[in-house]
Amino acid sequence: MSTPEQYVQQKAAASGSSFYYAFLFLPAPRRAAITAFYAFCREVDDVVDEVHDPSVAAAKLAWWQGEVAQAFAGQPSHPVMQALMPHASAYGIEQRHLLAVIEGCRMDLEQTRYLDFAGLARYCHLVAGVVGEVAARIFGQTQDATTVYAHKLGLAFQLTNIIRDVGEDAMRGRIYLPVNELQQFDVKAHEITKRQYSERFTALMRFQAERAHRCYDEALALLPAADRRAQKPGLMMASIYRTLLREIERDNFQVLNQRTSLTPLRKFWLAWKMQALGRF
């Protein structure tokens, strides 16, 4: 039997995520906390991605809601919550944070289209902004303004994910690109699901990428100087994700039938460069 700590470690490492590389440079207690929190996010996210019956997925998310309430009442039963709860008070992780992540995943079950960017931004707030907020606390936030930075950076990450995963998401019946922006560029939903490239599609994706870049710039401008050192793991992730976004742009947005990714070595190098040299 693995311990809760081993369980979350395996969960985080197995995802191969860019986040994992940023955790490597943290001191042990913070690394343990962020690994457990990240494993929680993966567990909840996997419900939506891997459970094909929506009613079963909804029941599982409801179970997680109950588990979060039980854990904060001192009775965690799932290894992820057993690993996370010892760190909750030290790093200001609150029940509302975890419930927001679950709520964001529930939106994925109930909604496959977003009419406009305001609607999409609300979804991003739950699945990425709140995650950024918790991560910033674990990394050692001292300034209130860092929360605003963390939310904006979370939005930038989520927009990058949406761009990268357009093809995969369409296969699952989801299109996150706002409906009014599809209309603006005269791109039909069926063109995306049938993986049909066009100059209109490329123009739509360039518009999405420019907005993501603006979010990165705004986030970095919002980070208070006093917290810059503590927030290095987030800046490492920004470096990795923005490099990924630039790769997608260089490939001219070939996102409908391939998934652009960076090699583990390249992710590690980008993370190390930020850690050692403090630059992108």
Side-chain angles (χ1 to χ4, degrees):
M1 274 295 285
S2 64
T3 64
E5 288 67 33
Q6 287 166 331
Y7 179 93
V8 295
Q9 178 65 38
Q10 286 158 359
K11 187 85 183 169
S15 74
S17 162
S18 309
F19 291 77
Y20 183 66
Y21 296 87
F23 304 164
L24 296 174
F25 298 92
L26 282 168
R30 293 187 194 279
R31 191 167 68 234
I34 194 71
T35 300
F37 175 62
Y38 180 66
F40 165 80
C41 294
R42 291 255 39 107
E43 290 281 353
V44 176
D45 203 40
D46 286 349
V47 170
V48 177
D49 285 343
E50 294 173 8
V51 179
H52 298 302
D53 181 333
S55 61
V56 174
K60 286 197 169 196
L61 290 181
W63 182 89
W64 273 106
Q65 275 181 311
E67 170 66 8
V68 167
Q70 202 174 303
F72 276 88
Q75 298 284 314
S77 66
H78 192 284
V80 160
M81 297 308 295
Q82 289 169 350
L84 181 60
M85 289 317 293
H87 305 287
S89 63
Y91 300 117
I93 304 168
E94 298 171 27
Q95 189 167 336
R96 67 180 174 90
H97 292 133
L98 305 189
L99 293 177
V101 175
I102 296 170
E103 180 58 32
C105 289
R106 178 174 285 112
M107 282 180 78
D108 268 332
L109 294 181
E110 296 168 354
Q111 198 167 342
T112 56
R113 298 282 192 281
Y114 292 87
L115 291 178
D116 53 26
F117 184 67
L120 180 64
R122 183 180 173 273
Y123 166 75
C124 293
H125 163 78
L126 294 169
V127 297
V130 173
V131 173
E133 181 180 330
V134 174
R137 291 179 178 208
I138 293 171
F139 297 155
Q141 167 180 356
T142 64
Q143 309 292 308
D144 287 346
T146 298
T147 299
V148 187
Y149 142 84
H151 274 271
K152 184 66 76 169
L153 190 59
L155 176 59
F157 290 161
Q158 193 63 25
L159 294 178
T160 304
N161 280 340
I162 287 169
I163 292 166
R164 178 193 64 194
D165 296 339
V166 166
E168 275 183 27
D169 288 333
M171 281 175 63
R172 293 189 173 118
R174 295 190 205 125
I175 298 177
Y176 290 99
L177 307 173
V179 171
N180 66 348
E181 293 173 9
L182 290 175
Q183 291 167 343
Q184 185 185 331
F185 288 90
D186 193 28
V187 175
K188 306 285 185 285
H190 70 82
E191 294 176 303
I192 294 176
T193 51
K194 289 179 181 165
R195 301 177 164 185
Q196 294 172 351
Y197 285 99
S198 63
E199 285 180 12
R200 292 167 290 112
F201 175 78
T202 308
L204 168 67
M205 297 313 292
R206 192 168 295 116
F207 177 79
Q208 304 298 321
E210 283 164 6
R211 176 162 53 210
H213 278 303
R214 276 200 306 280
C215 287
Y216 284 110
D217 290 337
E218 287 166 16
L220 298 174
L222 284 164
L223 176 60
D227 270 358
R228 189 178 164 86
R229 178 179 288 273
Q231 296 302 320
K232 262 190 180 175
L235 296 174
M236 287 177 199
M237 295 188 298
S239 178
I240 292 169
Y241 263 75
R242 210 166 183 179
T243 301
L244 175 67
L245 181 58
R246 291 191 178 114
E247 288 279 309
I248 293 168
E249 289 172 309
R250 256 198 296 275
D251 286 346
N252 210 24
F253 302 100
Q254 296 296 306
V255 290
L256 291 178
N257 41 24
Q258 68 181 44
R259 180 187 171 118
T260 304
S261 59
L262 307 180
T263 63
L265 183 64
R266 189 155 177 212
K267 289 178 186 177
F268 183 81
W269 163 243
L270 289 165
W272 180 84
K273 211 163 58 162
M274 174 55 65
Q275 172 65 18
L277 311 175
R279 65 167 188 253
F280 291 99

